[in-house]
Amino acid sequence: MPQLQKTDLKNDRIFLLMAKVQSRTSRFFKKQMKAAGLEISFSQLGVLFMLEKNDGMSMGDFCAQLEMENSALTRLMDRLEKSGCVLRRVNPEDRRQFLVDITDKGREQAALAKPIVRAANQKILDGLSGEEILSFVGVMKSFLDIFPAG
């Protein structure tokens, strides 16, 4: 691949390129997840992975870690609860707060998805050199600095 210079990108649409990558990876995961019999979305899967490591998280903790607005997270949790993957309960120490627990079905869905995520990560690793991967990760971290949360 030829080396690009910053000036070569003046007419390219970086956000369009990022949107295309997101769209393609999203389609890839939807197709793979459907084939595996998963009943949840990729964003719902992220919640289940988080709960596997830290069951009983508060909705506020999810908002902070996922950088989602409360209303969007509530809709996501509504769908997960309706599908039987999570349960919400009132925090006994602060009745204004809800805690989220993963169910057995949620654990099953997460377990079905793990090989798909591993295979996708391997596909990326196989398609890029070590230098490209390090550069890519560095660029993604820079984006987080350029566009801070909040």
Side-chain angles (χ1 to χ4, degrees):
M1 179 184 290
Q3 194 72 15
L4 290 176
Q5 301 298 317
K6 221 176 186 179
T7 55
D8 296 334
L9 300 175
K10 64 182 175 199
N11 293 319
D12 287 331
R13 295 186 174 115
I14 293 173
F15 278 101
L16 178 60
L17 182 59
M18 289 183 347
K20 284 182 178 182
V21 169
Q22 195 279 331
S23 178
R24 287 186 190 186
T25 55
S26 178
R27 273 196 310 272
F28 170 84
F29 274 105
K30 282 181 187 177
K31 188 176 179 181
Q32 298 296 313
M33 290 171 69
K34 185 176 181 180
L38 285 149
E39 302 170 10
I40 57 173
S41 71
F42 189 68
S43 55
Q44 291 170 333
L45 178 60
V47 168
L48 296 181
F49 283 167
M50 290 173 73
L51 285 172
E52 280 189 310
K53 291 180 180 170
N54 192 12
D55 203 18
M57 284 180 64
S58 73
M59 293 288 283
D61 288 341
F62 276 112
C63 285
Q65 288 192 26
L66 297 173
E67 297 184 16
M68 290 180 76
E69 295 201 15
N70 193 26
S71 59
L73 180 65
T74 299
R75 287 190 299 275
L76 187 138
M77 288 297 181
D78 286 345
R79 290 189 299 275
L80 276 170
E81 193 168 36
K82 186 176 180 180
S83 72
C85 291
V86 301
L87 292 172
R88 279 182 283 196
R89 61 185 165 87
V90 174
N91 183 345
E93 296 174 14
D94 182 352
R95 300 201 51 79
R96 298 168 295 170
Q97 189 180 63
F98 283 96
L99 303 177
V100 183
D101 297 306
I102 190 169
T103 64
D104 289 341
K105 181 177 180 181
R107 289 184 197 285
E108 290 168 9
Q109 292 286 294
L112 286 171
K114 285 179 183 175
I116 296 167
V117 173
R118 274 191 223 98
N121 279 321
Q122 192 61 52
K123 187 175 183 75
I124 293 167
L125 293 172
D126 292 345
L128 299 173
S129 71
E131 184 178 306
E132 288 171 319
I133 291 166
L134 290 174
S135 178
F136 176 72
V137 170
V139 168
M140 293 295 103
K141 287 180 178 181
S142 293
F143 267 93
L144 295 175
D145 292 337
I146 294 167
F147 299 103

